[in-house]
Coordinates of all heavy atoms in Angstrom, one line a residue:
N18 N -7.3 75.7 -28.2 CA -6.2 74.8 -29.0 C -6.2 73.4 -28.4 O -5.3 73.1 -27.5 CB -4.8 75.5 -28.8 CG -4.7 76.9 -29.4 OD1 -4.7 77.0 -30.6 ND2 -4.7 77.9 -28.5
P19 N -7.2 72.7 -28.7 CA -7.4 71.3 -28.1 C -6.3 70.4 -28.4 O -5.6 70.5 -29.4 CB -8.7 70.8 -28.6 CG -8.9 71.5 -29.9 CD -8.2 72.9 -29.7
E20 N -6.0 69.4 -27.5 CA -5.0 68.4 -27.8 C -5.5 67.5 -28.8 O -6.8 67.4 -29.0 CB -4.8 67.6 -26.4 CG -4.1 68.4 -25.3 CD -2.7 68.9 -25.7 OE1 -2.0 68.1 -26.4 OE2 -2.3 70.0 -25.3
P21 N -4.7 66.6 -29.5 CA -5.2 65.8 -30.5 C -6.3 64.8 -30.1 O -7.2 64.5 -30.8 CB -3.9 64.9 -30.9 CG -2.8 66.0 -30.7 CD -3.2 66.7 -29.4
F22 N -6.1 64.3 -28.9 CA -7.2 63.4 -28.4 C -8.5 64.0 -28.2 O -9.5 63.5 -28.5 CB -6.7 62.7 -27.0 CG -7.7 61.7 -26.4 CD1 -7.6 60.4 -26.9 CD2 -8.6 62.1 -25.4 CE1 -8.6 59.5 -26.4 CE2 -9.5 61.2 -25.0 CZ -9.5 59.8 -25.5
D23 N -8.4 65.2 -27.6 CA -9.7 66.0 -27.4 C -10.4 66.3 -28.7 O -11.6 66.4 -28.8 CB -9.4 67.3 -26.7 CG -8.8 67.0 -25.2 OD1 -9.1 66.1 -24.6 OD2 -7.9 67.9 -24.8
Q24 N -9.7 66.5 -29.8 CA -10.2 66.7 -31.1 C -11.1 65.6 -31.5 O -12.1 65.8 -32.4 CB -9.1 67.1 -32.1 CG -8.3 68.3 -31.8 CD -7.3 68.6 -32.8 OE1 -7.2 67.8 -33.7 NE2 -6.5 69.6 -32.7
K25 N -10.9 64.4 -31.1 CA -11.8 63.3 -31.5 C -13.0 63.2 -30.8 O -14.0 62.5 -31.2 CB -11.0 61.9 -31.2 CG -9.7 61.8 -32.0 CD -9.0 60.5 -31.7 CE -7.8 60.3 -32.5 NZ -6.8 61.4 -32.3
L26 N -13.2 64.0 -29.7 CA -14.5 64.0 -29.0 C -15.5 64.9 -29.7 O -15.1 66.0 -30.2 CB -14.3 64.6 -27.6 CG -13.3 63.8 -26.7 CD1 -13.1 64.5 -25.4 CD2 -13.9 62.4 -26.5
P27 N -16.7 64.6 -29.8 CA -17.8 65.3 -30.5 C -18.2 66.5 -29.6 O -19.2 66.6 -29.0 CB -18.9 64.4 -30.7 CG -18.7 63.4 -29.6 CD -17.3 63.2 -29.4
L28 N -17.2 67.4 -29.3 CA -17.4 68.6 -28.3 C -18.5 69.5 -28.8 O -19.1 70.2 -28.0 CB -16.1 69.3 -28.1 CG -15.0 68.5 -27.5 CD1 -13.8 69.4 -27.4 CD2 -15.5 68.0 -26.0
C29 N -18.8 69.5 -30.1 CA -19.8 70.5 -30.6 C -21.2 70.1 -30.0 O -22.0 71.0 -29.8 CB -19.8 70.5 -32.1 SG -18.5 71.3 -32.8
R30 N -21.3 68.9 -29.7 CA -22.6 68.4 -29.1 C -22.7 69.0 -27.7 O -23.8 69.3 -27.1 CB -22.7 66.9 -29.1 CG -22.9 66.3 -30.4 CD -22.6 64.7 -30.4 NE -23.6 64.1 -29.3 CZ -23.4 62.9 -28.8 NH1 -22.4 62.2 -29.3 NH2 -24.2 62.4 -28.0
L31 N -21.7 69.2 -27.0 CA -21.6 69.8 -25.7 C -21.9 71.2 -25.8 O -22.5 71.8 -24.9 CB -20.2 69.5 -25.1 CG -20.0 70.1 -23.6 CD1 -20.9 69.5 -22.7 CD2 -18.5 69.9 -23.3
Y32 N -21.3 71.9 -26.9 CA -21.4 73.3 -26.9 C -22.8 73.7 -27.2 O -23.3 74.9 -27.0 CB -20.6 73.8 -28.1 CG -19.1 73.6 -27.9 CD1 -18.2 73.5 -29.1 CD2 -18.6 73.4 -26.7 CE1 -16.9 73.2 -28.9 CE2 -17.2 73.2 -26.5 CZ -16.4 73.0 -27.6 OH -15.1 72.8 -27.5
D33 N -23.8 72.8 -27.7 CA -25.2 73.2 -28.0 C -26.0 73.2 -26.6 O -27.1 73.7 -26.7 CB -25.8 72.1 -28.8 CG -25.2 72.2 -30.3 OD1 -24.7 73.3 -30.6 OD2 -25.3 71.1 -31.0
K34 N -25.3 72.8 -25.5 CA -26.1 72.8 -24.3 C -25.7 74.1 -23.4 O -24.6 74.6 -23.5 CB -25.8 71.5 -23.4 CG -26.1 70.3 -24.2 CD -25.7 69.0 -23.3 CE -25.9 67.8 -24.0 NZ -25.6 66.6 -23.2
K35 N -26.7 74.5 -22.6 CA -26.4 75.6 -21.8 C -26.4 75.0 -20.4 O -27.6 74.8 -19.8 CB -27.5 76.7 -21.9 CG -27.3 77.9 -21.1 CD -28.3 79.0 -21.2 CE -28.1 80.2 -20.4 NZ -29.0 81.2 -20.6
P36 N -25.4 74.8 -19.8 CA -25.3 74.2 -18.4 C -25.9 74.9 -17.3 O -25.8 76.2 -17.3 CB -23.9 74.0 -18.2 CG -23.1 75.0 -19.0 CD -24.0 75.2 -20.2
K37 N -26.7 74.4 -16.5 CA -27.4 74.9 -15.3 C -26.7 74.5 -14.1 O -26.6 73.2 -13.9 CB -28.8 74.5 -15.4 CG -29.7 74.9 -14.1 CD -31.0 74.3 -14.2 CE -31.8 74.7 -12.9 NZ -33.1 74.0 -13.0
F38 N -26.3 75.3 -13.3 CA -25.6 75.0 -12.0 C -26.6 74.8 -10.9 O -27.5 75.5 -10.7 CB -24.7 76.1 -11.5 CG -23.4 76.2 -12.5 CD1 -23.5 76.9 -13.6 CD2 -22.2 75.6 -12.2 CE1 -22.4 77.0 -14.5 CE2 -21.1 75.5 -13.0 CZ -21.2 76.3 -14.2
L39 N -26.5 73.7 -10.2 CA -27.5 73.2 -9.2 C -27.4 74.1 -8.0 O -26.3 74.5 -7.7 CB -27.4 71.8 -9.0 CG -28.4 71.1 -8.1 CD1 -29.8 71.1 -8.9 CD2 -28.0 69.7 -7.7
S40 N -28.6 74.3 -7.3 CA -28.4 74.9 -6.0 C -27.6 74.1 -5.0 O -27.6 72.8 -5.1 CB -29.9 75.0 -5.4 OG -29.9 75.3 -4.0
P41 N -26.8 74.7 -4.1 CA -26.0 74.0 -3.2 C -26.7 73.0 -2.4 O -26.2 71.9 -1.9 CB -25.4 74.9 -2.2 CG -25.5 76.3 -3.1 CD -26.7 76.1 -3.9
K42 N -28.0 73.1 -2.2 CA -28.8 72.2 -1.4 C -29.1 70.9 -2.1 O -29.2 69.8 -1.5 CB -30.1 72.8 -1.0 CG -30.0 74.0 0.1 CD -31.3 74.6 0.5 CE -31.1 75.7 1.5 NZ -32.4 76.3 1.8
G43 N -29.3 71.0 -3.4 CA -29.7 69.8 -4.2 C -31.0 69.3 -3.9 O -31.8 69.8 -3.1
P44 N -31.4 68.1 -4.5 CA -32.7 67.6 -4.2 C -32.8 67.1 -2.8 O -31.8 66.9 -2.1 CB -32.7 66.3 -5.3 CG -31.6 66.6 -6.2 CD -30.7 67.4 -5.5
V45 N -34.0 66.9 -2.4 CA -34.3 66.5 -1.0 C -34.7 65.0 -1.0 O -35.7 64.7 -1.7 CB -35.3 67.3 -0.4 CG1 -35.6 66.8 1.1 CG2 -35.0 68.8 -0.3
L46 N -33.9 64.2 -0.3 CA -34.2 62.8 -0.2 C -34.0 62.3 1.3 O -33.3 63.0 2.0 CB -33.3 61.9 -1.1 CG -33.6 61.9 -2.6 CD1 -32.6 61.0 -3.3 CD2 -35.0 61.5 -2.9
K47 N -34.7 61.3 1.6 CA -34.4 60.6 3.0 C -33.7 59.4 2.8 O -33.5 58.9 1.7 CB -35.8 60.3 3.6 CG -36.8 61.6 3.8 CD -38.1 61.1 4.3 CE -39.0 62.4 4.6 NZ -40.3 62.0 5.1
K48 N -33.2 58.9 4.0 CA -32.3 57.7 3.9 C -33.2 56.5 3.4 O -32.6 55.6 2.7 CB -31.8 57.4 5.3 CG -30.7 58.3 5.7 CD -30.1 57.7 7.0 CE -28.9 58.6 7.4 NZ -28.1 58.1 8.5
T49 N -34.4 56.4 3.6 CA -35.3 55.4 3.1 C -35.3 55.4 1.6 O -35.6 54.3 0.9 CB -36.7 55.4 3.7 OG1 -37.2 56.7 3.5 CG2 -36.6 55.1 5.2
D50 N -35.2 56.6 1.0 CA -35.3 56.7 -0.5 C -34.0 56.1 -1.2 O -34.2 55.7 -2.3 CB -35.4 58.2 -0.9 CG -36.6 58.8 -0.4 OD1 -37.7 58.1 -0.3 OD2 -36.7 60.0 0.1
I51 N -32.9 56.0 -0.5 CA -31.6 55.6 -1.1 C -31.3 54.2 -0.7 O -30.2 53.7 -1.1 CB -30.6 56.6 -0.9 CG1 -30.2 56.7 0.6 CG2 -30.9 58.0 -1.4 CD1 -28.9 57.4 0.9
K52 N -32.0 53.6 0.3 CA -31.6 52.3 0.8 C -31.3 51.3 -0.1 O -30.4 50.4 0.0 CB -32.8 51.8 1.8 CG -32.4 50.7 2.6 CD -33.5 50.3 3.5 CE -33.2 49.0 4.4 NZ -34.3 48.7 5.4
K53 N -32.1 51.2 -1.2 CA -31.9 50.2 -2.2 C -30.7 50.3 -3.0 O -30.3 49.3 -3.7 CB -33.1 50.1 -3.1 CG -33.3 51.4 -3.9 CD -34.7 51.2 -4.8 CE -35.0 52.4 -5.6 NZ -36.2 52.3 -6.5
Y54 N -30.0 51.5 -2.9 CA -28.8 51.7 -3.8 C -27.6 51.5 -2.9 O -26.4 51.5 -3.4 CB -28.8 53.2 -4.2 CG -30.0 53.4 -5.2 CD1 -30.9 54.4 -4.8 CD2 -30.2 52.8 -6.4 CE1 -32.0 54.7 -5.6 CE2 -31.3 53.1 -7.1 CZ -32.1 54.0 -6.8 OH -33.3 54.4 -7.5
L55 N -27.8 51.2 -1.6 CA -26.6 51.0 -0.7 C -26.0 49.6 -0.8 O -26.9 48.7 -0.8 CB -27.0 51.5 0.7 CG -27.4 52.9 0.9 CD1 -27.7 53.1 2.4 CD2 -26.4 53.9 0.4
R56 N -24.8 49.4 -0.9 CA -24.2 48.1 -0.8 C -24.2 47.5 0.6 O -23.9 48.3 1.6 CB -22.7 48.1 -1.4 CG -22.6 48.6 -2.8 CD -23.2 47.6 -3.7 NE -23.2 48.0 -5.1 CZ -23.7 47.3 -6.1 NH1 -24.2 46.1 -5.9 NH2 -23.6 47.8 -7.4
Q57 N -24.6 46.3 0.7 CA -24.6 45.7 2.1 C -23.2 45.8 2.8 O -23.1 45.9 4.0 CB -25.0 44.2 1.9 CG -25.1 43.5 3.2 CD -26.3 44.1 4.1 OE1 -27.3 44.4 3.6 NE2 -26.1 44.2 5.5
E58 N -22.1 45.6 2.0 CA -20.8 45.7 2.5 C -20.4 47.0 3.0 O -19.4 47.2 3.7 CB -19.9 45.1 1.5 CG -20.1 43.7 1.0 CD -21.0 43.7 -0.2 OE1 -21.7 44.6 -0.4 OE2 -21.1 42.6 -0.8
S59 N -21.1 48.1 2.6 CA -20.7 49.5 2.8 C -21.7 50.3 3.5 O -21.7 51.6 3.5 CB -20.4 50.2 1.5 OG -19.4 49.5 0.7

């Protein structure tokens, strides 16, 4: 029984997908791999 706002979302596109839950470990990356995405201020 979705709310009126939720009815405007094309939820059927979501229902066509079969979600896959990721392993708790996730992908393996090193600090050098993510360096370019880090903000200098942070």
Side-chain angles (χ1 to χ4, degrees):
N18 300 285
E20 296 294 324
F22 181 82
D23 301 324
Q24 292 178 3
K25 295 180 177 64
L26 301 174
L28 294 178
C29 288
R30 292 169 54 196
L31 178 63
Y32 301 153
D33 291 337
K34 301 178 181 180
K35 183 177 181 180
K37 171 186 176 183
F38 291 84
L39 190 68
S40 165
K42 293 183 179 180
V45 178
L46 285 182
K47 300 179 181 179
K48 286 191 175 182
T49 54
D50 298 324
I51 66 169
K52 186 177 180 180
K53 62 182 178 180
Y54 302 114
L55 302 180
R56 298 289 175 185
Q57 184 65 38
E58 300 87 345
S59 304

